[in-house]
Amino acid sequence: MATIPQALHLGAAYYPEHWPEDRWPEDFRLMHEAGFNVVRLGEFAWSTMQPEANTFRFGWLERAVDLLAAHGIVSVLGTPTAAPPAWLVQQHPDLMAVDELGRRVQFGNRCHYCVNSPEMHDATRRIVTAMAQRFGDNPHVIGWQLDNEYNRVCFCDRCQGAFQRFLREKYAALDALNEAWTTRYWSQTYSDWSQIPIPIGRHNPALLLNFQQFITHSYHRLQHLQIGLLREYVPDHIWITHNFMGWFPGYDHYKLAEELDLVSWDWYVGTGYHDYLNSGAVHDLTRGFKRQNFWLIETQPGHVNWSTVNNSLNKWEAQAMAWHAVAHGADAILYWQWRSALGGQEQYHGTLVDQSGQPRPFFREAQQIGKAFRKVSELLAGSTVPADVALLNDYASRWSIDWQPHHEDFDYVAHLTHYYRPLAARNASRAVVSADTPLDGYRLVIAPALLILDDGRAAALEQFVRQGGHLVLTIRTGMKDRHNALLPSRQPGPLRAGAGVEVEDYYALLEPISIEGDDRVGQSRQWAERLRILDEKSVQVWARYGRANGWLDHHPAVTAHPFGKGIVYYVGAYLDDESQQALLDRIMKAAGVEPILFTPPGVEACLRQRPDGVALYFLVNHAAAPATVSLPWPAHDRLQDRTVQGELQLEAYGVSVLTRV
Ligand code: GAL
């Protein structure tokens, strides 16, 4: 098993192939001055590494890695497979992906390959093996990144054949597939595997789900190939990662993360400013892919080039973002990219060093982050993020809802985040994990729109509640099976007994409707479910619908049901923000979930726990104005190296890392 680096890293993506070699020493000197200790390089450099079929050139890369090391900077190498070069594509035009309209994609951008192309797999074998042979035992290479942001879907005939084989493997008999997919509907019954199409546009829900799983399977194959090739030469203690894209929906990230030693992701704000109540969820999602710390392997130095308005982050906003990421489990922050290339598609992207080779104003901010990282790097070694609350995430449920949202504004991620924000606003320790993760250790589990609920999942959730856990079921929970077919029971399917209620019907709402709770009146938007009480003796009704469409009027909207030693809540409404906060406050209290610390709005408190039990408290002010936090105990401020008691002042976008004294 690879050793995951235990201390903080700070760095950038650097492309030595863009610059004359005599410039490198100055770049590396500046990196050292910025406090950088890692650089990511190599991804996209295929045409420089292998300018023609039988010529490999790695000397330049080796010299760059060595020179970086001489400046105290370690390297992460990217395999360049996201950028198959022109000569290769010319030799094998079939290597290029085909779009939904049947057009071969044009050469000249990136990620243009067909993920199932045998020529791509062959070419990958050659370039990755050659890289691994050359750099596998290089002492300055601490990790590898595979490809870059897997994302393209190919619709070529060969992918269709591979999809059919994938289905054959999974279902074994066509009858089983026809049955599970309800293909008698609209006469879709298949009598031969070769009749099954790749779905384009609306389709049979089971076909859609299987194709999405096939995309996961296809990237998994290519990834597995690369890992195997690297491992021939790369020792086990060197880690292998891929850079994911947060909430990107294209494949099941849990499946792809299984084989990786470390998960990393690329965080871009684009237009506007970062909202920590939302971005915390993405860090937690990424940490949840393997339930371990992660790397933020790309983030924006100032601004991007690809959004509608490429505004810069405010001065020091990136500082708050860097610590926010660390507080949520990041062990590294790497900016993309170091210096503006003179040509290529990304000329206007933010960088640390500009086209003239001089540091931009942002450089000083990165330098400040570097200084502070050095102060706590050793202290943080081995520390992880504990969590009282788990939010369950499930790609199949998300895809299914995306294909049939029933209300055009219903968005799975926005709905999950609607449950995340009230927890984040109260500094509850929390995680976002796969719906198939073991639930021991959590006090509260929230299953937002966990549409797909088979008996296995239901049994694990029920067991969690029997043992004293609190479980929140929400709208759209417990409706379908693993083939994306409706369960032949009312929502929440196998959890009806646990919930003590069932859903008699669901309503997409044209307008918000009123909700009357014990002590407040609020609204439900987009969606409302009419709950029928099954266990009259013990279900408590926490809120009812007011006058609505007639069907919903005065029916229960939110319920709580003591079950075993715990409680199951059913939230049949999509509450307004204030009511949602009030509801989650009440549930957190009942479940015994305490805030890490009390902070004013805009300031977050997070916790990392060292293996020796020492708790590290992070206070991050996400506001552009100073803030004050009242500390309940005296503490040692590790960045300022002083003892603090009572009121702690944070500057605009300021940060404190505290240990209790
Ligand atoms: C990322 C990509 C980088 C760079 C960056 C620009 O998605 O991985 O290579 O293009 O966007 O924001």
Side-chain angles (χ1 to χ4, degrees), residues 464-470 562-567:
F464 165 75
V465 182
R466 279 188 197 284
Q467 290 169 349
H470 287 229
F563 184 76
K565 293 186 191 149
I567 299 184

Side-chain angles (χ1 to χ4, degrees), residues 44 110 148-149 243 266 268 298 304 306 336 346 349:
F44 306 127
R110 56 181 168 175
N148 191 79
E149 298 184 340
N243 55 335
D266 302 343
Y268 293 95
E298 287 185 20
V304 300
W306 42 257
W336 193 94
E346 298 174 299
H349 202 282

Side-chain angles (χ1 to χ4, degrees), residues 46 50 79-85 88-89 91-97 110-128 146-148 150 158 218-219 221-223 225-226 229:
W46 197 337
Q50 192 184 6
T79 64
T81 47
L88 177 64
V89 168
Q91 266 177 24
H92 305 290
D94 284 357
L95 181 148
M96 300 284 273
R110 56 181 168 175
C111 306
H112 38 280
Y113 61 83
C114 159
V115 60
N116 289 304
S117 146
E119 298 83 8
M120 177 64 189
H121 285 224
D122 278 350
T124 297
R125 258 180 217 108
R126 278 180 282 132
I127 186 67
V128 174
L146 307 175
D147 203 278
N148 191 79
Y150 308 136
R158 295 193 302 191
S218 303
Y219 276 107
R221 266 182 68 217
L222 188 57
Q223 176 174 279
L225 173 69
Q226 293 214 29
L229 298 167

Side-chain angles (χ1 to χ4, degrees), residues 484-510:
N484 205 10
L486 290 172
L487 293 170
S489 58
R490 284 182 170 172
Q491 273 174 267
L495 285 177
R496 273 170 308 152
V501 294
E502 66 179 13
V503 176
E504 287 188 293
D505 215 343
Y506 50 86
Y507 301 86
L509 301 177
L510 272 176

Side-chain angles (χ1 to χ4, degrees), residues 108 134 174 301 307 380 397 436 535 617 636:
R134 185 71 175 247
L174 260 183
S307 196
L380 261 66
S397 297
D436 296 310
D535 182 356
Y617 293 85
H636 185 184

